[in-house]
């Protein structure tokens, strides 16, 4: 039995999270099903294979249960699929609010363009690469936080399966293809992933060589999301607030800068060849 189920059963919920009402409602339903079955928390915990304290936390809405926890609870409490169905209600709550907001924008975008200088863009990362990045963060994240953040980032990769497919362009600094984040094997798999994604018809990956002496991206990362209604949202690491940009004039400046960055980088075909060469040397 897991003593408290902290790692396997779910994630602690931020007290300020706007999804708290949904999580609390699911917890109340679980409690009602348990009581209707005539089970005490300790008995239910023992059958589920988790600590009693964890059951209390889930039932009062302080912890977000994992999908597999709800599946097992549905079976143990003979809920006939009603508890398992609540996985849909919790799907968004499982991820931090900032990530949920970004994922929503990505899901609605018809075009995405991004320049990254220190790490590979989140949408391009393998799960192992993402895990290594979050684990090296200082001050350190807890294991619970790392798992939740990794799950949220991996879920965003659904953008590659959308239909109709959005136009996705990425410019990556050469160093992001060389730094062995997570070790050599993790880097190799990451480079293989870039080659896979880079061959998709709606995706273009470009590499910015380190020896470029004229570079419009020295201010830091930028990203632009465009939507079907003609609106756009951008982010510029170089600006003081580093918040979202929606003013049309500022968006045009960001588009101009990103266009110059793309022109200064290797072409998509040259970039795939560059990545293949990097893979061969890793």
């Amino acid at each position: 039995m897991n003593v408290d189920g902290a790692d396997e059963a779910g994630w602690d919920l931020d007290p300020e999270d706007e999804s708290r009402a949904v999580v609390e409602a699911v917890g109340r339903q679980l409690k009602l099903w348990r009581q209707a079955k005539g089970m005490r928390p300790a008995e239910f915990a023992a059958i589920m294979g988790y600590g009693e304290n964890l059951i209390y936390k889930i039932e009062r809405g302080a912890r977000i249960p994992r999908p597999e926890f709800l599946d097992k609870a549905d079976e143990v409490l003979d809920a006939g699929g009603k508890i398992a169905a609540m996985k849909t209600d919790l799907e968004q709550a499982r991820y931090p609010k900032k990530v949920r907001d970004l994922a929503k924008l990505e899901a609605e975008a018809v075009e995405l363009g991004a320049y990254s200088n220190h790490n590979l863009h989140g949408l391009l990362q393998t799960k192992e690469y993402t895990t290594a990045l979050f684990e090296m963060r200082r001050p350190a994240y807890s294991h619970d936080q790392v798992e939740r953040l990794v799950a949220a980032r991996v879920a965003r990769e659904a953008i590659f399966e959308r239909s109709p497919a959005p136009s996705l362009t990425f410019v990556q600094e050469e160093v992001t293809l060389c730094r062995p984040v997570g070790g050599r094997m993790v880097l190799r798999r990451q480079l293989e992933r870039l080659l896979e994604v880079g061959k998709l018809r709606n995706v273009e990956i470009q590499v910015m060589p380190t020896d470029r002496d004229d570079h419009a991206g020295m201010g830091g990362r930028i990203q632009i999301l465009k939507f079907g209604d003609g609106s756009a949202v951008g982010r510029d690491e170089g600006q003081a607030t580093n918040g979202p940009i929606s003013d049309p004039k500022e968006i045009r400046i960001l588009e101009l800068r990103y266009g110059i960055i793309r022109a200064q980088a290797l072409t998509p075909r040259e970039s795939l060849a560059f990545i293949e060469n990097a893979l061969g040397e890793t």
Side-chain angles (χ1 to χ4, degrees):
M1 176 190 294
N2 183 12
V3 177
D4 60 8
D7 294 331
E8 287 81 2
W11 301 273
D12 285 332
L13 183 67
D14 187 330
E16 304 302 320
D17 198 305
E18 61 185 16
S19 296
R20 173 166 289 281
V22 175
V23 179
E24 289 177 344
V26 169
R28 284 195 298 272
Q29 288 298 313
L30 278 168
K31 184 176 181 178
L32 290 172
W33 277 100
R34 174 182 60 74
Q35 292 174 333
K37 193 69 175 176
M39 284 188 187
R40 293 182 177 277
E43 180 185 1
F44 180 53
I47 296 175
M48 289 288 291
Y50 296 104
E52 184 177 355
N53 181 56
L54 176 80
I55 302 302
Y56 282 123
K57 290 182 70 174
I58 289 178
E59 289 186 349
R60 71 170 185 267
R63 194 168 181 82
I64 308 168
R66 292 178 183 270
E68 52 269 30
F69 180 91
L70 294 175
D71 286 334
K72 188 170 183 179
D74 190 282
E75 180 182 343
V76 170
L77 299 175
D78 296 322
K82 293 183 176 63
I83 292 177
M86 292 189 286
K87 289 185 293 186
T88 303
D89 299 316
L90 292 176
E91 185 174 1
Q92 293 300 316
R94 289 200 299 269
Y95 309 132
K97 183 181 183 303
K98 185 181 294 186
V99 179
R100 291 200 305 268
D101 293 343
L102 176 57
K104 182 179 180 181
L105 291 174
E106 291 173 345
E108 297 172 352
V110 296
E111 185 178 333
L112 179 151
Y115 161 70
S116 302
N117 54 355
H118 291 306
N119 309 309
L120 289 165
H121 190 277
L123 293 175
L124 298 174
Q125 296 173 13
T126 64
K127 182 178 180 180
E128 294 76 18
Y129 184 98
T130 298
T131 301
L133 277 181
F134 284 129
E135 286 181 340
M136 68 176 65
R137 193 256 195 187
R138 299 294 184 273
Y141 284 130
S142 67
H143 177 77
D144 186 79
Q145 288 174 307
V146 170
E147 260 200 355
R148 191 182 184 197
L149 289 166
V150 170
R153 182 163 291 181
V154 171
R156 286 169 51 210
E157 293 179 6
I159 194 172
F160 293 111
E161 300 170 3
R162 273 179 48 197
S163 181
S167 173
L168 307 173
T169 63
F170 304 91
V171 180
Q172 291 290 155
E173 282 292 330
E174 178 181 342
V175 67
T176 65
L177 309 177
C178 306
R179 183 173 290 121
V181 174
R184 291 291 172 183
M185 292 308 297
V186 171
L187 178 58
R188 281 191 60 83
R189 176 62 193 118
Q190 178 61 73
L191 294 175
E192 291 170 351
R193 171 64 175 167
L194 291 180
L195 293 174
E196 293 169 5
V197 173
K199 292 174 183 176
L200 296 176
R201 295 181 63 186
N202 64 311
V203 178
E204 290 188 344
I205 297 176
Q206 294 178 253
V207 176
M208 178 68 79
T210 302
D211 63 5
R212 285 290 191 264
D213 59 0
D214 188 10
H215 192 338
M218 297 305 288
R221 295 178 300 169
I222 63 175
Q223 178 163 299
I224 306 171
L225 292 163
K226 297 182 180 180
F227 307 100
D229 62 0
S231 64
V233 173
R235 188 171 294 275
D236 181 0
E237 192 177 63
Q239 69 171 3
T241 61
N242 198 27
I245 299 170
S246 57
D247 180 80
K249 291 182 179 180
E250 293 186 38
I251 289 292
R252 284 198 293 273
I253 293 173
L254 207 55
E255 289 177 325
L256 174 62
R257 188 180 308 156
Y258 184 59
I260 295 174
I261 290 173
R262 291 197 68 189
Q264 293 171 329
L266 299 178
T267 67
R269 180 175 295 182
E270 292 170 338
S271 297
L272 288 182
F274 190 99
I275 295 170
E276 287 178 344
N277 184 64
L279 177 59
E281 297 178 352
T282 301

